[in-house]
Amino acid sequence: MLKDLILKNRSYRRFDQSVLVPMQHLREWVDAARLSGSARNMQPLRYMLFNNAPDCEKIFPTLAWAGYMKDWPGPDEGERPSAYMVQLGDLDLTNDWWCDDGIAAQSILLSAVEQGYGGCIIGSVQRERLRDILDIPDQYKIIQVLALGKPAEEVVIDEVVKGDIKYWRDEKGIHHVPKRGLDELIVNFKG
Ligand SMILES: Cc1cc2nc3c(=O)[nH]c(=O)nc-3n(C[C@H](O)[C@H](O)[C@H](O)COP(=O)(O)O)c2cc1C
């Protein structure tokens, strides 16, 4: 069921780094993004794919993890992503991709989860540093990075209590993500 996949598709930030993500998988997941909606059908997004340790080591320090968890610097060696996708926008086509990037990211992550992998969208990226490291031409804007691998953490969904939406990790290492209730999301301003 799609809902089960959506439920399983949490933001995973700790992985079994020893499990590699085959390039063929990464390509299939981009294919799911390729087939997704695109504003004006412009299809301006591009992807750089990485699944080897030396590249992953270069990309990792440019990313920021779990902003609410101030005392956690991010995944340790051994639990880091074993693959990345760098999502780019081709400025020669347009500088406005509306919400294509999010739709595509969700298609990629759902595909990954369906195959037993998982990941996290990383919007907090040192973009100029990453551009230099990967030799990305100015024609392409770095939109976000998808960190991918074999998840090695449990993530559960909680209810939002007293408006607190900050995710947190308990003493057993379980990551908790508060979600607002359905009745808070569905609004009606009539009478
Ligand atoms: C556009 C976007 C950017 C994000 N950027 C980051 C990020 O830079 N670092 C990070 O650790 N998580 C990032 N996340 C993950 C969110 O923190 C996560 O989606 C949120 O905590 C809810 O958890 P869930 O994805 O399991 O529902 C991002 C998510 C989205 C959708």
Side-chain angles (χ1 to χ4, degrees):
M1 292 290 288
L2 179 58
K3 185 82 174 274
D4 294 329
L5 271 185
I6 291 170
L7 261 173
K8 210 170 157 197
N9 179 33
R10 305 275 48 89
S11 290
Y12 295 105
R13 299 182 179 86
R14 288 180 295 168
F15 303 88
D16 179 346
Q17 199 173 333
S18 67
V19 180
L20 301 182
V21 186
M23 188 52 71
Q24 188 51 32
H25 283 354
L26 296 175
R27 290 179 59 87
E28 281 168 32
W29 304 343
V30 173
D31 203 43
R34 182 180 74 85
L35 298 170
S36 301
S38 172
R40 294 165 293 161
N41 204 27
M42 188 60 70
Q43 305 164 70
L45 305 184
R46 302 291 179 264
Y47 300 87
M48 297 178 79
L49 309 182
F50 302 96
N51 71 343
N52 67 69
D55 287 332
C56 291
E57 265 169 44
K58 283 190 252 166
I59 293 168
F60 177 78
T62 70
L63 310 176
W65 298 85
Y68 289 142
M69 290 164 47
K70 299 287 177 214
D71 51 359
W72 186 63
D76 252 335
E77 189 60 45
E79 56 181 23
R80 293 183 180 159
S82 49
Y84 292 98
M85 290 188 192
V86 179
Q87 189 188 49
L88 307 170
D90 184 347
L91 295 165
D92 276 0
L93 289 173
T94 180
N95 60 7
D96 189 355
W97 27 85
W98 298 74
C99 55
D100 284 18
D101 51 338
I103 293 171
Q106 183 78 345
S107 294
I108 289 165
L109 289 172
L110 287 173
S111 304
V113 165
E114 191 183 33
Q115 290 184 273
Y117 297 86
C120 187
I121 299 174
I122 305 286
S124 184
V125 180
Q126 293 176 36
R127 287 179 173 74
E128 285 320 303
R129 190 173 166 195
L130 187 61
R131 181 182 295 284
D132 284 348
I133 290 169
L134 299 178
D135 282 328
I136 299 172
D138 289 342
Q139 178 189 341
Y140 299 96
K141 185 166 175 182
I142 299 174
I143 301 173
Q144 53 202 0
V145 174
L146 302 184
L148 296 155
K150 189 86 175 169
E153 69 175 344
E154 191 180 340
V155 182
V156 295
I157 288 178
D158 294 341
E159 277 178 35
V160 167
V161 178
K162 292 186 188 154
D164 188 358
I165 44 70
K166 292 193 186 80
Y167 49 80
W168 56 286
R169 191 176 295 161
D170 69 21
E171 62 287 346
K172 289 182 187 145
I174 297 171
H175 184 87
H176 292 255
V177 183
K179 293 285 184 192
R180 298 185 196 278
L182 190 56
D183 289 332
E184 189 177 344
L185 267 64
I186 299 171
V187 292
N188 181 2
F189 301 112
K190 238 179 150 193

